[in-house]
Amino acid sequence: MSVTVRVPAKVNVQLGVAAARPDGFHDLANVFLAVGLYDEVTVTPADELRVTCAGPDAASVPLDRTNLAARAALALAERRGIEPAVHLHIAKDIPVAGGMAGGSADGAGALVACDALWGTGASRAELLDICAELGSDVPFSLVGGAALGTGRGEKLAPLEVGGTFHWVFAMAERGLSTPAVFREFDRLTAGREIPAPEADPALLTALSKGDPEALAAALTNDLQPAALSLYPELAATLKTGEQAGALATLVSGSGPTTAFLVPDATTATRVATALQDSGTCRTTRTAAGPVPGATVL
Ligand code: C5P
C-alpha cells in the first residue's frame, strides 16, 4: 500500500519584507500564488525512514534527515508516538534552491501522505501547525490557491482570484540559498528605515479580477535587489523576457528562478523559446495558476 500526494510550486506576486526581527527572521507581506509545476511525494511502509528522489535536479536533493519530507514524517510520527518507518519517494519537477518552494512542497506532501498512510487523522489546523514548524513557506504548499502570508509568511489568509494567470519560469544555472539572500537584503538595507510591509490593495484587486495587465503593474519583490546583487547575471534573463513580450518580469521569491507574467499560453510559449534561445538561463517552464495545494492522488 502506498499514498501519493501532488504539491504545486509557488511564485510570490508581492514579497514585502520588513527589517530583521530579533530572532533573525523577517516579517513579510507575502502574496503567494500556487502554479502548475508539481512535485509528487509517494510514501510506502518500509523497515526504516528512507528518502529517494528522481527528476532533473535529483542529484542536488539531500536524502538525509535534513530533507523537509523526512522532517515532516518525523514530526508527525513523534506527535503520535509511532515509528517513522516509511520510504518517501520524491518525483521532483520543481527546481531545487530556486525560490519556488520545492523543498516546502515536499514537506507538505510528505506530511499529508504520512497522515493518510498511518490513518493519523490530523486536523487541518494540526497539519498547518506542523507545516509552520517545518518552514515559513510550508503552510502555503499545503493550502495552495492564492494567499496572503504574514508573520514570517506562515500565517495565511486565503485570497480570491478571478481568473488564470500564465507564467514562464526561467531556471538559473546555479541555486541561491534563502538565508544568504535575506542576509544580503539586511546588508543592502542597513541603516535605512524600512516601513512595515502591507499587501498592496491594487495587487489584491488585480488578483480578484483576474486581470493580468493590472497584476503586471503591481508585481513587487523586495528581495529582488538582494538576489540580483548575489546573482548579477539574472538581469540579462529578466531583460530577455521583457523584450520577448512578457507583461512583467520578477525574481521568484529569494530566486534565482525568474518569473515572467504573460497574457496567455501562446505568448508563454513564445517567451519561453526566446529565453531558451538566449542562453541566459538553464531551462524554462510554462505554468498557470492558481492551482490547488497538496492533493492526495
Ligand atoms: O522558514 P525557513 O526555514 O524556510 O527559512 C529559511 C531561512 O530564510 C531562515 O533561516 C531565515 O534566514 C530566512 N527567512 C527570513 N524571514 C522569513 C523567512 C525566511 O529571514 N520570513
Side-chain angles (χ1 to χ4, degrees):
M1 188 215 171
S2 67
V3 177
T4 297
V5 175
R6 188 171 86 152
V7 197
K10 60 84 182 164
V11 61
N12 308 83
V13 289
Q14 180 185 355
L15 187 46
V17 182
R21 311 190 306 207
D23 67 0
F25 281 90
H26 298 70
D27 280 324
L28 306 175
N30 191 352
V31 182
F32 294 101
L33 181 72
V35 294
L37 258 182
Y38 300 94
D39 281 1
E40 285 182 11
V41 181
T42 299
V43 58
T44 315
D47 291 340
E48 56 179 10
L49 182 61
R50 192 161 72 89
V51 181
T52 56
C53 182
D57 287 354
S60 40
V61 174
L63 301 178
D64 59 14
R65 294 184 173 208
T66 62
N67 187 298
L68 275 175
R71 286 178 47 207
L74 287 163
L76 182 62
E78 190 176 321
R79 282 184 179 227
R80 292 296 186 277
I82 58 179
E83 282 300 312
V86 285
H87 170 205
L88 294 162
H89 180 72
I90 303 166
K92 182 154 264 312
D93 201 29
I94 305 174
V96 175
M100 296 192 76
S104 300
D106 302 342
L111 186 62
V112 170
C114 287
D115 178 53
L117 183 77
W118 295 334
T120 29
S123 66
R124 188 82 167 164
E126 185 180 14
L127 291 176
L128 283 170
D129 264 1
I130 300 174
C131 287
E133 282 168 19
L134 295 172
S136 306
D137 288 348
V138 185
F140 180 72
S141 296
L142 185 80
V143 303
L148 169 64
T150 54
R152 53 188 174 84
E154 86 286 15
K155 292 181 197 140
L156 296 176
L159 293 173
E160 286 295 317
V161 183
T164 297
F165 294 99
H166 295 269
W167 297 86
V168 180
F169 296 99
M171 286 63 176
E173 293 293 342
R174 55 187 170 88
L176 271 179
S177 128
T178 302
V181 175
F182 275 104
R183 275 197 304 277
E184 183 67 359
F185 171 87
D186 293 340
R187 196 183 68 80
L188 292 175
T189 57
R192 222 186 286 162
E193 193 67 37
I194 307 178
E198 280 179 34
D200 173 6
L203 178 116
L204 300 185
T205 304
L207 283 177
S208 71
K209 288 192 170 154
D211 179 344
E213 307 265 350
L215 184 64
L219 293 176
T220 57
N221 179 0
D222 289 352
L223 290 182
Q224 184 156 323
L228 284 170
S229 168
L230 296 177
Y231 206 145
E233 299 92 323
L234 297 180
T237 320
L238 292 172
K239 193 162 184 66
T240 303
E242 187 186 334
Q243 287 171 343
L247 295 171
T249 71
L250 171 89
V251 169
S252 177
S254 57
T257 301
T258 42
F260 303 85
L261 181 61
V262 291
D264 48 50
T266 312
T267 313
T269 307
R270 198 178 71 232
V271 170
T273 305
L275 282 161
Q276 198 74 59
D277 291 349
S278 73
T280 61
C281 60
R282 177 166 55 96
T283 181
T284 61
R285 296 293 300 273
T286 60
V291 296
T295 306
V296 177
L297 296 183

